[in-house]
Amino acid sequence: MTTETQHGSVIVMDRRRGKLRAGQGLLQGLRVVWDHWAGSFRKNDNFSKIHGTFTVEYPEERLPMPQAYRNMPVLLFDDESGHELCTGCYQCQRICPPQVIHITQAKDPVTGKMVPAATEFIIEYDACMSCGFCAEVCPFDSIKMDHVYELSTANRASLTMRKAQLNRSISYYTGIAPGLWAEVQAGAMKKLQGSIKRRPDVIGLAASLTEKIKARRLELAAAAAAAPAAAAVSAPAAPAAPAAKLTPEEKAAKLAAMKAANANKGAAPAPAEAPVALSPADAKAAKLAAIKAANANKGAAPAPAEAPVALSPADAKAAKLAAIKAANAAKQAEAAPVSVETAVATAPLDAKAARLAAIKAANAAKLAAEQGNNE
Amino acid sequence: MLKTEELQINIGPQHPSTHGVFRMLVTVDGETVTDLKPVFGYLHRNHEQIAEVNTYLQNMPYTDRLDYFNAMANNHAYAMAVEKLVGIEVPERAEYIRVLMVELTRILNHAGALGFLINDMGAWQTQLAFGMREREKILDLFESVSGARLMCNYFRFGGVARDLTADFMPRLKDLLVAMPAFIDEMERLLRENEILLQRSEGIGILPKDLALAYSVTGPVLRGSGVAYDIRRAEPYSIYDRLDFDVPVGSVGDVYDRILVRIEEMRQSKRIIEQVIAQLPDAQGGHINPKARQNVRPPVGDVYARVETPKGELGFYLVSDGSSRPYRYKVRAPSFINLTPLGDMCRGYKVADMVVILGSIDIVMGEVDR
């Protein structure tokens, strides 16, 4: 019985049995099962066949993943320049439905202005829902979905991925999704060139490369210090004095710089989260310390002029840089009370670290100042 | 005659035949069910409240997790609701791709649902394995186009996220070649199987008037003999251009629901064939280029509904003009279809109760939200 409607009809399902005798229905079903059993010895390599196995022996064999497959987001960097495509624009952080992306935008250490790069980029893989919105929304094609699916671990904390763990080279991505990359390549590379122009020093380089560059710079500095001739070439201002013998002020300045740098290191990741627990007094102390460090540095800076033997220009620069960094950190710490929500859990630790940093910086400054005065 | 006493037992929430974590408070007199109360809420995860904190687009992947068997159909309903609210036009091609995906979803859902139903009857895994095999092929297609097998997150406001890949159509056509063989085979295995007939004929009868009174939708309603299919009753998308039949049952028992589902798979295949034929002529791209994903709908409310494989899925959205929905309500078919379970099970045996529950075809992700 059917009723015609405009595009098709209403069919009442026929419940009548066929002409099978009792038990034959069962046998018919068994035949189906039998066919499948018999077919299971052959391999099914085609969607148009229903018999045969098309399973793969997973850990040994793996199916190729389609290009569009998305599992977890990763960050791309350029193979040639080592620069990351990410500019820290926060688009992915904003769109992320479970809110698992956390970005810290890079700042110029000298001017304090925003730089199109991210100093830290955290994705909590354990809470990520693999929706792919971050990759879709990224205007710089920096964040892409990885194809790695074997991520199980007993340690949940290890699934909070930092930038160094998220970095993948573009060549890696073209390996897994050549077609998708080809669509966006031209635009992405053009935008990357624009970003690179606005990035000072090592900012925006892939994390692994930054470490290498730092190590190499230290090596070079050591080499420069060890070989007077080389030093003379690389730093003509430095006289050919035995650099190994450090004069007190040089030592002091170096120490101050190191301490300030350390303090800065401790404080730097914190500022976004730290402020709530940080009492105004602490912030003030940090600032004061920074100023003192800067002053000490200033005091130390003229020293080379008087005793050029001692302080190589590189060190003076380092000290200055450290002071600026300390000052920035202090400034950030002071300006921070905005982000109230994130702070609660991490605050006590960070506050402590910041205070420690402040004390260290103050001490270093004092030391430097005293020694500068003594000289 | 032995004197018997009524006993109240809990079946579920952790019970393999409750299709997830569903609890039934059953009053039994010996083997006979005298009363049954469905108890919901064990899988409650605050879906609607979370949606009010998210922006409109951010809710799209969450709808995947409602009825995780039919992510595409859920996406469709939600995308339609927001498009209606904002007034976004969907290009023709995008509509065709949407219908294609949703009909594939219907096939894979019924293949799986019938498998689980036969599983509940005791034919452990036989039919389920065959159904899962076809489902797997469809999921491969979904993966190649959307990036994920289950949580597709494929629809966007004004279209779909990505156009079909080059190898999609050949693979789909191969799949359709196998489809009649698969459905016929399923029918051969089930239709006249004496054991299945004993377990399903006359079991769990849901009369027409009761089904209407409970607002049941989907194959359960059609199994009871009401020819109500939203694709036909209130054509959305491009369903008014497509020819397909609406199968209905006559008795309203488990057997009718099985037959209706088998026939619906055939009709879905028919729809897909028409879509494949009409898709090359469709205007526009896979997404409306003018459509903003970051929508800010005007103040107002909207209700949009689609016929998912399980029934009417509707989204009721209230906008207060901001980028987040003020109210987000899901009318989930599994949930509504479950409510007459007590009436359907009364008087049958405990073993039948499991089969009746299986024949409703629920997904707890949608029931509890």
Side-chain angles (χ1 to χ4, degrees):
Chain A
M1 188 184 79
T2 55
T3 321
E4 291 295 324
T5 54
Q6 200 187 351
H7 286 281
S9 48
V10 174
I11 329 168
V12 177
M13 295 310 298
D14 187 8
R15 288 168 65 95
R16 277 174 307 173
R17 316 263 184 90
K19 285 174 187 155
L20 297 182
R21 266 183 252 142
Q24 277 187 330
L26 259 181
L27 290 174
Q28 209 180 38
L30 267 181
R31 180 63 201 261
V32 171
V33 179
W34 174 267
D35 284 348
H36 275 288
W37 181 78
S40 69
F41 295 100
R42 290 193 309 274
K43 190 97 181 149
N44 182 346
D45 48 2
N46 194 334
F47 271 17
S48 59
K49 287 189 282 188
I50 60 168
H51 291 103
T53 55
F54 65 106
T55 48
V56 292
E57 314 259 327
Y58 159 57
E60 286 86 31
E61 290 177 75
R62 272 149 221 259
L63 287 171
M65 288 321 221
Q67 284 190 35
Y69 176 69
R70 57 186 150 87
N71 197 24
M72 289 290 165
V74 291
L75 279 178
L76 295 189
F77 68 87
D78 181 25
D79 292 85
E80 283 164 30
S81 62
H83 272 279
E84 285 170 351
L85 276 67
C86 177
T87 63
C89 67
Y90 296 99
Q91 291 277 356
C92 49
Q93 185 177 327
R94 273 192 213 115
I95 204 159
C96 179
Q99 302 281 300
V100 297
I101 301 181
H102 310 281
I103 304 176
T104 313
Q105 170 116 41
K107 275 186 179 172
D108 193 307
V110 183
T111 58
K113 278 184 188 160
M114 293 289 189
V115 171
T119 46
E120 188 50 283
F121 198 106
I122 298 172
I123 300 180
E124 297 165 48
Y125 270 18
D126 50 344
C128 173
M129 70 201 290
S130 301
C131 65
F133 277 158
C134 48
E136 222 166 275
V137 82
C138 183
F140 301 94
D141 293 295
S142 158
I143 194 160
K144 291 285 172 196
M145 302 308 276
D146 201 359
H147 288 197
V148 173
Y149 46 84
E150 286 155 329
L151 293 162
S152 48
T153 168
N155 179 13
R156 189 173 175 187
S158 73
L159 287 172
T160 299
M161 296 294 185
R162 306 185 82 93
K163 199 174 77 167
Q165 294 156 290
L166 291 170
N167 273 143
R168 300 281 187 285
S169 66
I170 285 179
S171 57
Y172 169 81
Y173 186 66
T174 49
I176 59 174
L180 295 183
W181 179 249
E183 284 173 23
V184 297
Q185 186 177 17
M189 295 319 279
K190 202 176 166 194
K191 284 175 191 163
L192 176 65
Q193 294 311 320
S195 303
I196 290 176
K197 273 181 206 154
R198 294 166 58 205
R199 287 173 179 172
D201 201 27
V202 295
I203 292 174
L205 283 177
S208 57
L209 291 172
T210 318
E211 296 303 314
K212 270 186 201 160
I213 289 169
K214 270 184 191 158
R216 182 71 185 140
R217 278 187 186 172
L218 278 179
E219 244 172 60
L220 282 176
V233 172
S234 65
K245 277 186 194 169
L246 296 175
T247 58
E249 39 311 19
E250 187 187 339
K251 256 186 195 166
K254 233 181 185 175
L255 197 68
M258 260 154 68
K259 278 192 178 167
N262 279 345
N264 184 44
K265 220 185 272 168
E273 302 134 8
V276 184
L278 200 64
S279 70
D282 289 338
K284 219 172 170 183
K287 204 177 180 186
L288 199 69
I291 293 169
K292 272 186 182 168
N295 281 345
N297 184 43
K298 230 183 259 168
E306 297 153 18
V309 201
L311 202 63
S312 76
D315 288 342
K317 209 174 173 187
K320 214 175 182 180
L321 196 70
I324 291 167
K325 272 188 187 166
N328 277 347
K331 215 190 279 170
Q332 268 174 342
E334 194 195 0
V338 203
S339 61
V340 182
E341 316 91 15
T342 45
V344 189
T346 50
L349 199 72
D350 292 335
K352 213 171 167 186
R355 204 187 276 174
L356 198 68
I359 293 168
K360 271 188 184 168
N363 281 346
K366 215 189 276 173
L367 198 68
E370 272 170 21
Q371 276 171 347
N373 289 344
N374 288 346
E375 291 303 313
Chain B
M1 187 73 187
L2 203 65
K3 188 174 171 287
T4 55
E5 205 176 300
E6 285 198 341
L7 180 70
Q8 249 190 1
I9 52 168
N10 270 312
I11 296 189
Q14 278 99 356
H15 191 279
S17 72
T18 58
H19 293 241
V21 282
F22 176 49
R23 184 173 144 216
M24 290 175 280
L25 192 58
V26 191
T27 313
V28 288
D29 183 4
E31 253 317 274
T32 312
V33 177
T34 54
D35 196 17
L36 184 147
K37 278 201 191 97
V39 184
F40 306 113
Y42 205 79
L43 199 64
H44 180 70
R45 51 197 193 287
N46 215 4
H47 177 86
E48 293 182 3
Q49 207 69 48
I50 288 172
E52 287 161 22
V53 181
N54 285 343
T55 63
Y56 284 92
L57 182 62
Q58 281 176 349
N59 285 330
M60 190 64 86
Y62 281 94
T63 62
D64 289 339
R65 279 120 177 116
L66 276 174
D67 175 357
Y68 39 78
F69 243 74
N70 311 312
M72 294 283 194
N74 302 343
N75 280 183
H76 195 188
Y78 181 65
M80 265 175 60
V82 176
E83 280 154 11
K84 230 163 139 183
L85 193 58
V86 188
I88 298 174
E89 275 182 23
V90 185
E92 211 178 2
R93 184 178 168 82
E95 291 279 23
Y96 276 104
I97 297 175
R98 282 178 172 193
V99 167
L100 180 64
M101 295 300 162
V102 171
E103 293 305 322
L104 281 172
T105 296
R106 200 179 310 277
I107 292 175
L108 78 82
N109 177 74
H110 288 345
L114 288 173
F116 284 117
L117 172 59
I118 311 308
N119 213 4
D120 287 340
M121 291 180 182
W124 200 68
Q125 294 284 329
T126 307
Q127 173 57 40
L128 185 60
F130 302 156
M132 284 290 160
R133 186 198 57 221
E134 292 312 303
R135 175 172 175 266
E136 204 64 21
K137 294 178 187 171
I138 299 175
L139 291 183
D140 276 351
L141 289 177
F142 283 178
E143 190 183 28
S144 74
V145 69
S146 76
R149 305 167 74 77
L150 293 179
M151 302 298 136
C152 300
N153 187 21
Y154 182 52
F155 287 37
R156 296 288 177 273
F157 308 139
V160 293
R162 214 177 262 118
D163 208 345
L164 302 178
T165 48
D167 63 339
F168 184 88
M169 274 301 164
R171 286 167 84 188
L172 177 63
K173 281 172 186 161
D174 276 355
L175 180 70
L176 288 183
V177 170
M179 195 56 65
F182 163 65
I183 299 171
D184 290 348
E185 173 195 271
M186 182 186 257
E187 200 166 1
R188 263 211 314 287
L189 183 64
L190 303 182
R191 193 179 173 100
E192 306 208 24
N193 188 318
E194 278 83 0
I195 300 173
L196 182 119
L197 286 167
Q198 293 233 324
R199 296 299 307 270
S200 61
E201 261 192 324
I203 302 291
I205 296 177
L206 182 68
K208 213 184 228 181
D209 51 346
L210 199 60
L212 289 171
Y214 272 112
S215 314
V216 166
T217 48
V220 183
L221 177 69
R222 289 193 286 277
S224 295
V226 183
Y228 178 75
D229 187 322
I230 298 167
R231 293 174 292 170
R232 184 51 44 77
E234 194 187 86
Y236 53 93
S237 195
I238 46 152
Y239 278 111
D240 51 354
R241 299 179 203 175
L242 302 169
D243 298 337
F244 62 97
D245 298 340
V246 179
V248 295
S250 45
V251 178
D253 57 359
V254 174
Y255 189 58
D256 264 343
R257 280 168 226 146
I258 294 175
L259 295 181
V260 165
R261 289 209 171 92
I262 293 177
E263 186 57 32
E264 273 188 21
M265 288 167 72
R266 289 214 175 90
Q267 298 304 327
S268 286
K269 177 188 166 274
R270 203 173 139 194
I271 294 177
I272 291 169
E273 277 165 352
Q274 293 171 54
V275 168
I276 292 175
Q278 294 175 24
L279 188 61
D281 302 329
Q283 303 289 313
H286 68 283
I287 193 162
N288 182 351
K290 282 185 218 147
R292 281 169 62 89
Q293 298 304 312
N294 180 11
V295 292
R296 230 171 226 285
V299 179
D301 61 340
V302 71
Y303 180 74
R305 54 187 189 159
V306 301
E307 180 79 25
T308 70
K310 294 189 166 62
E312 172 182 338
L313 173 69
F315 280 90
Y316 177 64
L317 301 175
V318 181
S319 164
D320 57 355
S322 72
S323 60
R324 290 149 214 275
Y326 177 76
R327 178 78 175 98
Y328 166 104
K329 163 89 177 79
V330 187
R331 188 252 187 241
S334 295
F335 174 67
I336 310 269
N337 291 357
L338 255 189
T339 46
L341 184 65
D343 284 327
M344 284 156 82
C345 290
R346 205 162 288 131
Y348 297 104
K349 305 286 186 214
V350 173
D352 293 334
M353 184 194 74
V354 172
V355 174
I356 296 167
L357 177 67
S359 76
I360 298 175
D361 181 19
I362 56 162
V363 161
M364 286 315 285
E366 195 175 49
V367 175
D368 285 341
R369 304 195 288 282

